[in-house]
């Protein structure tokens, strides 16, 4: 029996996608060899590569102003690649420090040039975000960096700052394609695949073409966006298996009825779980400001750490895995990515109810 998989990443993938990958593993499409044994310069792989790019473009509703790149190095490489490409000596960019992932981006920005912090959530222990209207770029800033969803803290921007002529760059690793978002408001968006898009190993970068042109010259080839844009993400060997899996996930979104339908289910899942937390305020507590609670990563606490351990252990015994909060913050975290069925959330809320009443609530 498959587990109810609440892992934050790598995380659950749609069962039909896993089954298709299994069926094609040894013999891809009747070709007599596996796709992972096939040259990335072959016409077989070419079709896979284009299917992945087309699927992303379709579901994200991207205009021709944007390029889509399929890179390695994880979302983490983007923390460094972005300032390398857009900041020269003496220049600076702005950042909203909303939690663990924005902090990592801040460190890498500072390694290349000067970062200017527009907001730091430290005072609230990273449980709230600024309201978008208050986020204004500083004078001379090259771009503004934000994380659309803080995977560890469980915070999510519900609408985005308007930064005018200064492009907005967004780390969408843990909520890309979980809801409809107008991508036209971003200069650059990136996401590691292993939360909503596929297995770990490929990172999607969506970048406005005019920004690629403005990018710094003279960087090592792999570190320059221009290289990958010029070569259609085939400058070097791409992670072919991950890209194939990603293309199947794009088809799966289509089969669900498109992104609108996926978003509808995600909203229901989040409402169920936050509903259970809110109905039992003496036992469950979500530390995140209600306006900024993530629909992807739901974090909550129980009255004591001992109860939290008991809760997580008991859940595992009932087939629910991945509920332990990140080691840096503790508590419980349930990740509700696209591929998590609503039945898994119902199983969790049922368990929460009986656990609470078993402890006198
Ligand atoms: C997981 C995650 C990352 C890091 O991704 P890697 O692929 O491990 O480098 C960065 N940002 C956010 C918001 C994430 O959730």
């Amino acid at each position: 029996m498959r587990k109810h998989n609440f892992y934050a990443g790598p995380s659950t993938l749609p069962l039909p996608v896993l089954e298709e990958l299994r069926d094609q593993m040894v013999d891809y499409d009747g070709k007599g060899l596996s796709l992972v044994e096939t040259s990335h310069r072959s016409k077989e792989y070419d079709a896979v590569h284009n299917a992945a790019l087309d699927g992303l473009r379709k579901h994200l509703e991207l205009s021709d102003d944007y390029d889509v790149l399929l890179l390695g190095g994880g979302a983490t490489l983007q923390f460094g690649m972005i300032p390398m490409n857009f900041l020269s000596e003496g220049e600076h960019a702005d950042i909203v420090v909303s939690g663990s992932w924005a902090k990592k981006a801040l460190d890498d920005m500072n390694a290349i040039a000067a970062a200017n912090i527009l907001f730091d959530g430290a005072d609230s222990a990273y449980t709230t975000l600024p309201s978008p209207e208050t986020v204004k770029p500083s004078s001379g800033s090259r771009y503004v960096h934000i994380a659309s969803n803080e995977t560890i803290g469980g915070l999510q921007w519900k609408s985005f700052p308007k930064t005018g002529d200064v492009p907005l760059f967004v780390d969408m690793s843990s909520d890309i394609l979980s809801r409809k978002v107008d991508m036209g408001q971003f200069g650059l968006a990136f996401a590691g695949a292993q939360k909503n898009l596929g297995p770990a190993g490929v990172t999607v970068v969506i970048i406005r073409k005019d920004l690629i042109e403005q990018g710094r010259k003279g960087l090592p080839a792999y570190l320059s966006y221009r290289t990958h844009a010029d070569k259609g993400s085939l400058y070097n060997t791409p992670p072919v298996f991950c890209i194939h899996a990603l293309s199947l996930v794009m088809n799966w979104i289509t089969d669900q009825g498109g992104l609108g339908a996926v978003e509808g289910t995600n909203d229901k899942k989040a409402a169920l779980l936050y509903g259970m937390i809110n109905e039992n305020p003496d036992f469950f507590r979500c530390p995140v400001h209600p306006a900024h609670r993530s629909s992807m990563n739901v974090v909550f606490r129980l009255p004591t750490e001992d109860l939290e351990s008991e809760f997580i252990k008991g859940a595992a015994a009932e087939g629910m895995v991945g509920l332990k909060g990140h080691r840096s913050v503790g508590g419980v975290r349930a990740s509700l990515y696209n591929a998590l069925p609503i039945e898994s959330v119902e199983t969790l809320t049922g368990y929460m109810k009986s656990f609470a009443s078993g402890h006198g609530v």
Side-chain angles (χ1 to χ4, degrees), residues 8-10 73-79 100-102 104 145 147-152 171-175 190-195 200-203 297 333 337:
T76 300
L77 179 59
Q78 297 309 308
F79 296 155
S100 310
W101 290 113
K104 291 206 163 148
H145 179 110
S148 60
N149 186 69
E150 282 285 357
T151 322
I152 293 172
D171 176 359
M172 301 185 94
S173 293
S174 49
D175 70 348
F190 64 96
Q194 67 272 24
K195 281 107 187 191
V202 62
T203 302
N297 311 99
R333 170 176 55 173
Y337 298 124

Side-chain angles (χ1 to χ4, degrees), residues 157-179:
W157 292 83
K158 302 299 173 182
S159 62
F160 295 94
K162 297 204 183 340
T163 52
D165 291 341
V166 179
L168 183 60
F169 290 2
V170 53
D171 176 359
M172 301 185 94
S173 293
S174 49
D175 70 348
I176 191 167
L177 288 179
S178 67
R179 55 178 175 164

